[in-house]
Amino acid sequence: MSIDWQKINAAVWRPRKAYLRGIERIDPIMLSQLVGIDEQKRQLIDNTKRFLNGEGANNALLWGSRGTGKSSLIKALLNNYWRQGLRLIQVDRNDLVELPEIVDEIRDLPQKFIVFCDDMTFEQGEASYRALKSVLDGSIEAPPANVLIYATSNRRHLLPESMQDNQDAVLVGRDLHLGDTVEEKLALSDRFGLWLSFYPINWQGYLAIVDHYFKDFRGDRERLHEAAKHFAMARGGSKSGRAALQFYKAYIGSEQLKDS
């Protein structure tokens, strides 16, 4: 099924029927809504602008703690830059073996495509990451100029690390020679030219995000903060942008936050 990329801004790969399904209702998150990740936001925006302008741009790996805005940042880029020709294709990590064929469909189109893989981690021995390596950098064919890979992960090197990896390293003179397993892991993550780290936030950062969502709140701000803390602690103490948004959705207009 062919997609009219003049009218459709995003698509998702559907493996069972092996086609790209155009998405008409896109998550409306905007860059201005993302708080507490200013430096990561700046770097990814700069990289994306260079990509849109036909300048040097890198594949990007956004790695770190859950709920810190990694996926939201990529989706917000589409909402901010689709008018400049940016398009987004989401591919699940289990479907990365289809990535070369997906890329073949779009490599000659005038739009600029970000292939988005969310929560991309691999177990030892998985073969799907080899298809990713091929598209990123490792094929006889040069990567298409209109495609970048933006991936999120909770692992910096995408593959699991073990104590044995360190034991396989040997010192030859003054040079440290890594084991074959480590070299394989680094070979994948090294193909991402832009690494952005996302770290857990403290209570102050969490409440700053809450205040951003409740910027029009006219009630007791201290009471709001206490409710937000209780909400996070009830979910294992998760202080994240995701928790702040969930709190906002659960409590906006709630009687519990109104002055008694």
Side-chain angles (χ1 to χ4, degrees):
M1 184 180 297
S2 175
I3 291 180
D4 184 353
W5 290 108
Q6 296 288 344
K7 299 178 180 178
I8 298 295
N9 299 332
V12 62
W13 176 254
R14 292 303 191 207
R16 191 169 65 85
K17 294 185 178 180
Y19 81 109
L20 285 171
R21 182 180 70 81
I23 299 174
E24 296 186 2
R25 295 183 60 190
I26 298 171
D27 185 337
I29 185 74
M30 300 298 291
L31 291 169
S32 59
Q33 295 175 254
L34 301 176
V35 180
I37 53 171
D38 292 345
E39 181 57 23
Q40 296 93 325
K41 189 193 305 186
R42 182 192 66 78
Q43 290 190 51
L44 198 60
I45 289 173
D46 287 348
N47 190 68
T48 305
K49 284 182 176 179
R50 291 196 300 272
F51 177 48
L52 291 171
N53 292 332
E55 303 168 356
N58 283 307
N59 299 298
L61 174 60
L62 289 65
W63 73 277
S65 302
R66 69 185 191 279
T68 49
K70 302 184 296 295
S71 302
S72 294
L73 178 52
I74 295 174
K75 291 183 287 187
L77 285 171
L78 174 66
N79 291 327
N80 280 74
Y81 294 107
W82 65 269
R83 291 181 181 84
Q84 286 90 329
L86 187 65
R87 300 293 183 266
L88 190 71
I89 296 175
Q90 184 165 3
V91 181
D92 187 83
R93 73 173 183 87
N94 295 322
D95 302 324
L96 288 174
V97 291
E98 308 291 345
L99 195 53
E101 284 73 22
I102 295 172
V103 169
D104 282 346
E105 290 186 25
I106 59 176
R107 65 168 58 244
D108 296 322
L109 298 178
Q111 293 83 10
K112 303 285 188 176
F113 291 87
I114 289 174
V115 175
F116 170 39
C117 188
D118 197 22
D119 195 21
M120 187 171 67
T121 56
F122 302 100
E123 298 306 319
Q124 201 64 49
E126 271 193 73
S128 57
Y129 76 87
R130 292 188 174 88
L132 175 63
K133 285 173 62 176
S134 176
V135 171
L136 285 169
D137 211 13
S139 170
I140 190 173
E141 185 176 25
N146 70 330
V147 179
L148 283 182
I149 309 291
Y150 281 7
T152 72
S153 178
N154 62 352
R155 293 173 180 164
R156 183 173 184 176
H157 295 304
L158 301 175
L159 291 160
E161 301 181 35
S162 66
M163 183 67 72
Q164 185 63 41
D165 294 343
N166 295 327
Q167 294 173 351
D168 289 341
V170 294
L171 191 63
V172 180
R174 294 186 176 182
D175 296 329
L176 181 66
H177 289 244
L178 302 174
D180 292 341
T181 302
V182 176
E183 290 287 1
E184 183 180 32
K185 293 174 181 179
L186 294 176
L188 178 57
S189 58
D190 280 353
R191 282 172 165 78
F192 291 90
L194 178 60
W195 287 8
L196 297 176
S197 305
F198 291 72
Y199 300 103
I201 59 176
N202 56 23
W203 282 118
Q204 181 179 1
Y206 170 67
L207 294 177
I209 300 174
V210 169
D211 284 339
H212 174 78
Y213 284 122
F214 284 90
K215 56 181 177 294
D216 297 324
F217 181 68
R218 296 291 179 262
D220 187 334
R221 186 68 55 170
E222 183 175 346
R223 187 177 177 183
L224 172 69
H225 287 176
E226 285 300 316
K229 287 182 179 180
H230 285 302
F231 184 88
M233 288 187 290
R235 285 152 183 77
S238 174
K239 305 181 291 293
S240 67
R242 178 181 297 158
L245 177 58
Q246 290 171 344
F247 170 73
Y248 172 75
K249 289 180 177 179
Y251 280 78
I252 185 64
S254 170
E255 293 294 328
Q256 298 179 51
L257 297 182
K258 293 181 179 179
D259 293 332
S260 54

